[in-house]
Amino acid sequence: MMTSKRDYYEILGVEKTATAEELKKAYRKLAAKHHPDRNPGSEEAIYAFKECSEAFEVLYDSDKRARYDRYGHAGVQGGSGGFQDVDDIFGAFGDLFGDMFGGGGRRRPGGSRGRRGSDLRSKLVIDLVEAAVGCARELEIEKHERCKTCSGSGAAPGSSPEKCEYCGGRGQVVQSQGFFRVQITCPVCRGEGTVVRQKCETCRGSRFTPTKVRLEVKVPAGVDNDMQLCIRGEGEPGEGGGPPGDLYVDIVVRKHKLFERMGRDLGFRLPVTYAQACLGTELEIPILTGKHNLVVPAGTQPGDVIRIRGHGMPDPHSGQRGDLLVEVQVEVPKKLSKKHEELLRQMAELDSKQVSPHRKTFFETIKDLFAGGDSNS
């Protein structure tokens, strides 16, 4: 599906009469805001960074700007938007970034900027108690580390990488697109500026080898399902001096046998006898971190909820705890002792409630029903 491009002047937030200096000032401001180093892992920031860079590339060039002012995007099609990735932008405006970010647009010896390593993702399963109090767990992941045989050069011992002849060691080449010339990352050395002729047998020239790594992950109290922990710098290593990526850990909290989680609150069902519900009682009940004496008021009804303040889950940001909600369930015994039955019948008489006599069986009840039917016929 095609999407219409935004107006370049609108993207940079300048008037159509803006001078070159005003364009540069506006671009500096937007590029600083959306710079990938200041927004790690943000796809929206990368998109905005590319968008404002494309607008600046066209408007800062007087010839492209003239065609754009006359024909719009159609006038510069093929001559703008040549940035395949962020590295292309750093290659085109590297000097400008060096002034803007004090090294934020740094370039490798080969001429292109170091590429940030890829992010990794893993999963950690914990129980509800661990989620309530926080914990430290060991996590094993597999990632790439610098090859120990070649010290990360990719070259066999005794040899070294050679300067790329295609780009002359710059890591960038100028590509013609019709009437326009665009600077892109060298396709031979991939921006490294060097190529490996004699490859290391251990890593086969890739400079990195897969390694299993054990990390201690500190889980804060109050985490829940669908939450994610970010461990900075534990992702894949960067290339050409670029920073490593990050490790994102998805949290999975097991269901508890007794407690049900409802945001910051916890709930469970407490069975009590009919007498306890009527007369009231004090019971020792479990909580996540121990025990608690709960007072069940006299006259408690089935389904009533007793709230115990501050015995729920903590908020992972503020630390404020939720409540424990105890739902009272009145149990009806299936079998009664003779004494128990006598007492209940006495109570039923006091309540003026009719109950079925114990001696009448199911078959006797059916017989009475049919007898009643005959008398009415």
Side-chain angles (χ1 to χ4, degrees), residues 8-28:
Y8 287 148
Y9 292 101
E10 177 187 342
I11 292 171
L12 296 179
V14 297
E15 300 291 336
K16 290 190 175 182
T17 56
T19 63
E21 194 59 35
E22 289 173 335
L23 289 171
K24 184 185 291 187
K25 183 179 179 180
Y27 178 55
R28 282 172 179 266

Side-chain angles (χ1 to χ4, degrees), residues 274 338-355:
Y274 179 71
K338 186 175 182 181
K339 182 65 175 177
H340 198 173
E341 182 182 346
E342 290 176 359
L343 292 173
L344 286 176
R345 291 188 181 280
Q346 292 176 19
M347 185 173 64
E349 291 177 3
L350 291 174
D351 292 338
S352 299
K353 299 294 184 182
Q354 183 178 358
V355 295

